[in-house]
Structure formats: structure tokens, C-alpha cells
Amino acid sequence: MSENTPTYNIKDYPKQQMRGSLLEGVRYTCAEFFEKEWEGMWTKVWLLLGRESELPDPGDWQMEPVGIEEILMVRQTNGGVKAFYNVCQHRGNPLVEDAKGSVKRFVCKYHSWAYLPDGELNFAPDKDDFPEGNPCGKVRLSELSCETFAGFVWVNMDPKCMSLKEYLGPIWDEWALRNLHTWKRTLANSMWLPCNWKVVLDNFNESYHVPTVHMGATTETNRKEIRGHINTYFKETRFDLADEGHNRMIMEGGYGVGSTDKDGNILEPLASQLRYWDLDPEDFKSKPEDTRKALQQAKRRLGPSRGFEHYARVPDEQFTDAFHYTLFPNFAVSLWSDGFHFLRARPHPDDPQQCLFDNFWYASPASLDAGTELNRGSEQEVERTLLEYGSGVSIGLGIDDDVRVFVTQQRGFRSRGFKGVYLSSQESRIRRYHELIDDYIEGRLPK
Ligand code: FES
Ligand SMILES: [Fe+2]
């Protein structure tokens, strides 16, 4: 860790040993690897799939695809959530086709077998005609492990899986401070992309690309000098790799170049944020770096009384800095003071060169009321939109730049001329999670 690396009042994650395996293009293109990954990894991990607020009442359900599976998450009369494979146990027809709905019973469209929300079959036509006996009260939908945390519904296809809390390791305690279950979705775009799901996760596992892809940096650019609203300079970034396979990258809220005009005046949106927190942008003329500490102190002092309830429990740094997490295997999130940038990639049912990509944004209720933070989209909880890749429509500010690179990089991975990645230390999070995928494939699951 460099001497410039910021220190925080949060615990370090343990140091990880990596093997330095060769990571070749076939990991992103080949059907055989895709199959091994499915059997060895996807069917053994906890996956964030649903949102509790989409299931307010008993019988409400949400269905989400992961590879060849479709998972049905259903609110129960006791307030819990159960998850089932979306498949009728009569002769295998899927039970639902839509993304969400509400039922008293799930009725199969093939022969009308009907299941209660708890998975029990309670109607079958001609129920006396079965040599193995009446299936009602006996046959059940096939159930997966299901838990809720931070307002999300998580599932695991492995019947012998560890608890979600164990699986999440240090993430659990850090996120539990935030009241994330109360945050509202203000952007929800999804798109099938012509690239492997790991291309997406690799990208969000490093900020090495940020100057080139998002800030127009060239070979001439001094990378230390181009910070925008966050400081992506690697020597001043903190990287942590958890035993469980998740990781964390912390970048200071920069407020450097780009936060002022040529005369040193503080620009929007920082100027409005300062005013909201009773600070005068004039006082920070030509010294935008000083806004970081000042904002932290003002939010600490005024936040709880203005409805920012979670401020009472999080360290000062979380009021200004970017806490970027990747949860193994497929979920990347930037956690800001009041915004939660949700980025997820899921495998296609059978094509390793496609994935379903989600770009969502959640915002704290107090920030929506105040209209202060960089929260995107509307101020209402929004429904998801499935956009079409290549139609020219934007999936989200900034993220369009990433998507362009996902697609070109996938093309490069097909080339026999590509010899395998050559990673910098600041890209260690990529190496670590590829090696963990190999561990899963070879049967070495985290304890
Ligand atoms: S397959 Fe569902 S009722 Fe026959
Ligand atoms: Fe990016």
C-alpha cells in the first residue's frame, strides 16, 4: 500500500495470495468453459436476484433468469420469501412467463396443475387417475435456498450452501449500517450484450480504464492530474480482497480538476451540494480539495436532523468517497453517500458470448426528498426497461462508454493472436476473481 493511500476507520480485509494463472481468451468465448463455470460456480454461489419492495404482499412474485434457469421468488403469508425453479413438476412446463405478478395459485398452462405460493400442489385435474397416488399435497415445486438482506432477495442453487451472512463476509456488517432496504430505485435499464458476463465484471473490477474511456486521457496525459469527482489515481486508491471472494476499492471524493472553472469558482453540482449543507462555495474558491473535509463535517453535524438517518452510523469518509464493491460472482456496486450504483451481469442460457447486463441506481429517501445528491432518473421507484443493444438508446450516463469497450474487447478475445491478459497490480481484483472461478470449477469452495 502506498504511503499516500487514504486511511479509514474501517477494517482491512486479509491479504490474499494469488497464483498468477494465465487468463486466456477462451474463458470468454468457449462453450466448454462456459459449461464448467455453470456447473462448478453458478450453481454453488449466492446470487442477488430480487428486490423485497417488488413483493409487498403475500402471493406477489418476481421471476429472474440466470443462465438456463428461471427463478421464481414469492412473498409468503408469514412475511418471508421463498424461491422456486420456474418449472411445473408434472411434465416440466414453465409456470410463469412474465417478470412479476401476484397470484393465489400458480396455474400451469399445460394441464392446469395449480400450486400454492408456498410451493405445494393443491389442484390437478383427474387427481384419482395417478398410479403413484393423488399428487395434491404431495408434489411440491422445487425450492432453492433463499434469504433477504439490504432489501434484496438472494438465492443459492446449492442445497448444501453456507448462510448468506457467512458468504458475504465483511460486506454484511458494512452494508447493514446503511438502511439500504429503504432506498428507492430511480434508474433500471437492462440490455442483452454481445459479450461474456466476465467482460463486464472485469471492467468494474478496475479503475485503470477510467481516464482513457471516460475522461478522454491520451498518452500525453498526466494521470495524477485528471481527477474529476473521484480520485482514480491508483497510488491513492485503496484495494481490499476478502477471503470470501468479494472485494472493495475506495477512491476519495476528488473535487479536484473539473470541480472549478478557470477562475477557481466551484461549479455545479458541487456548488449546490455545499449550499444545501450550509457551506458557501465562495469560501472554497480555488481550493476545491478543502470541500471534502468540510462536507464530511457538515453532513456529520446536520445529516441526522435532516432525515439522513444512516449518517449517524457510517464513517465520515462514506459521506464523500466512492466505496466500490464487487460481490462474487456477478454484482458490482458503487456505494456513495446516498446513491447505490447497481451493476450486474448474468450469463446467457447457452451462448458464452452474450450476457444480460443491468444498470440500476438506488437513492436514499432523504436525498430524494432534499434533491441534493447526484441521484439519477426520476424520484419514483421505477420499473425495469429492457433496452435493445445497437438501437442507439443509452443504457446510462457514462456506462455507454463502458459498453462500447465490452463489445470490442469480446471481439479481441476471439483472436488466436491474443495470448492472455497482462495485468497491473491495480487490476488484481480481476485476477483474484478469475482464480476463484477456477477454484469453484475444481471443487475448492470457500469454507
Ligand atoms: S406440465 Fe404443468 S400441468 Fe402438465
Ligand atoms: Fe467505466
Side-chain angles (χ1 to χ4, degrees):
M1 200 176 275
S2 137
E3 62 199 24
N4 298 320
T5 308
T7 51
Y8 290 99
N9 301 320
I10 51 174
K11 281 197 209 133
D12 286 330
Y13 294 176
K15 288 274 165 290
Q16 304 298 331
Q17 280 299 329
M18 281 176 277
R19 298 187 288 272
S21 316
L22 180 65
L23 305 174
E24 297 170 294
V26 288
R27 301 177 71 85
Y28 305 82
T29 58
C30 137
E32 196 187 333
F33 187 81
F34 188 70
E35 192 57 36
K36 283 188 197 164
E37 208 175 55
W38 177 259
E39 286 304 326
M41 193 274 291
W42 288 103
T43 58
K44 303 281 187 294
V45 287
W46 280 99
L47 296 168
L48 183 159
L49 267 198
R51 183 73 174 160
E52 282 213 79
S53 62
E54 303 215 37
L55 311 168
D57 300 312
D60 290 350
W61 59 268
Q62 188 182 358
M63 189 269 281
E64 290 287 331
V66 189
I68 52 170
E69 296 296 352
E70 293 175 350
I71 311 296
L72 198 50
M73 291 158 281
V74 191
R75 178 69 72 186
Q76 303 295 299
T77 40
N78 69 2
V81 180
K82 280 182 184 285
F84 306 102
Y85 294 95
N86 179 29
V87 58
C88 175
Q89 299 297 318
H90 176 222
R91 277 175 44 213
N93 197 46
L95 283 174
V96 303
E97 297 291 338
D98 297 333
K100 60 196 282 193
S102 186
V103 291
K104 289 209 164 39
R105 294 187 301 184
F106 291 100
V107 182
C108 180
K109 292 194 179 61
Y110 201 170
H111 312 89
S112 293
W113 279 30
Y115 300 85
L116 295 171
D118 72 356
E120 184 180 301
L121 182 75
N122 98 329
F123 175 80
D126 307 333
K127 60 181 189 295
D128 306 329
D129 185 39
F130 292 85
E132 292 171 76
N134 176 0
C136 297
K138 176 172 156 192
V139 170
R140 298 185 58 81
L141 291 178
S142 183
E143 190 170 346
L144 306 74
S145 301
C146 178
E147 294 194 34
T148 55
F149 174 62
F152 294 103
V153 182
W154 311 65
V155 305
N156 193 317
M157 295 181 229
D158 182 1
K160 298 196 292 285
C161 64
M162 64 177 82
S163 71
L164 177 64
K165 187 167 194 295
E166 276 176 282
Y167 181 83
L168 289 179
I171 310 289
W172 182 283
D173 287 340
E174 287 177 37
W175 287 19
L177 301 174
R178 295 287 198 123
N179 282 357
L180 294 172
H181 62 284
T182 65
W183 292 26
K184 299 224 168 358
R185 192 166 72 182
T186 59
L187 175 83
N189 290 333
S190 300
M191 196 180 259
W192 284 99
L193 297 178
C195 66
N196 183 270
W197 69 275
K198 294 187 295 300
V199 167
V200 175
L201 268 293
D202 287 358
N203 176 269
F204 296 124
N205 263 321
E206 50 93 350
S207 52
Y208 188 43
H209 74 278
V210 171
T212 310
V213 170
H214 302 293
M215 293 169 157
T218 68
T219 51
E220 310 299 317
T221 306
N222 177 351
R223 301 201 162 218
K224 193 171 171 2
E225 292 297 311
I226 60 164
R227 69 183 67 169
H229 295 294
I230 49 172
N231 176 4
T232 59
Y233 185 53
F234 75 98
K235 287 190 177 166
E236 293 167 11
T237 298
R238 174 169 159 168
F239 302 98
D240 285 295
L241 304 169
D243 287 343
E244 295 77 6
H246 320 300
N247 65 58
R248 183 178 66 191
M249 172 172 71
I250 308 175
M251 293 168 285
E252 287 190 353
Y255 309 117
V257 175
S259 295
T260 56
D261 65 15
K262 63 179 178 3
D263 300 322
N265 297 304
I266 303 286
L267 293 170
E268 294 298 346
L270 181 54
S272 291
Q273 275 197 48
L274 291 168
R275 280 188 216 99
Y276 179 83
W277 293 106
D278 295 355
L279 297 166
D280 185 351
E282 276 293 303
D283 294 344
F284 299 92
K285 191 166 175 179
S286 301
K287 26 178 202 179
E289 290 81 5
D290 292 356
T291 62
R292 181 170 173 269
K293 266 274 165 275
L295 270 172
Q296 289 177 2
Q297 286 163 1
K299 287 180 170 189
R300 169 71 63 214
R301 198 174 66 249
L302 302 171
S305 65
R306 294 187 180 181
F308 293 80
E309 208 250 317
H310 62 283
Y311 284 12
R313 291 185 304 278
V314 302
D316 285 356
E317 294 83 358
Q318 293 196 357
F319 296 152
T320 49
D321 299 351
F323 282 63
H324 183 88
Y325 297 87
T326 304
L327 268 50
F328 187 81
N330 69 329
F331 181 55
V333 48
S334 284
L335 194 44
W336 300 87
S337 169
D338 290 277
F340 181 95
H341 197 173
F342 171 118
L343 298 152
R344 178 175 59 181
R346 284 174 275 177
H348 186 270
D350 48 44
D351 182 355
Q353 303 203 62
Q354 290 190 58
C355 70
L356 179 58
F357 174 52
D358 300 304
N359 178 29
F360 297 176
W361 186 270
Y362 290 83
S364 77
S367 74
L368 290 173
D369 288 346
T372 49
E373 296 289 332
L374 300 167
N375 292 319
R376 308 179 184 193
S378 73
E379 301 203 350
Q380 297 301 315
E381 185 113 324
V382 296
E383 292 294 330
R384 179 152 86 210
T385 311
L386 185 61
L387 305 171
E388 195 182 339
Y389 171 74
S391 64
V393 64
S394 168
I395 192 164
L397 197 65
I399 300 299
D400 293 325
D401 300 334
D402 294 301
V403 168
R404 265 190 292 281
V405 186
F406 299 161
V407 176
T408 55
Q409 188 185 22
Q410 181 71 31
R411 259 177 35 222
F413 280 145
R414 290 181 213 151
S415 168
R416 69 178 65 210
F418 177 65
K419 302 298 183 199
V421 301
Y422 191 97
L423 295 174
S424 62
S425 294
Q426 63 188 293
E427 296 168 292
S428 300
R429 301 191 306 152
I430 296 176
R431 176 169 298 293
R432 163 77 175 152
Y433 100 81
H434 278 264
E435 293 192 355
L436 205 68
I437 291 170
D438 289 343
D439 284 348
Y440 271 91
I441 289 174
E442 288 156 26
R444 294 187 299 271
L445 273 57
K447 297 273 181 307

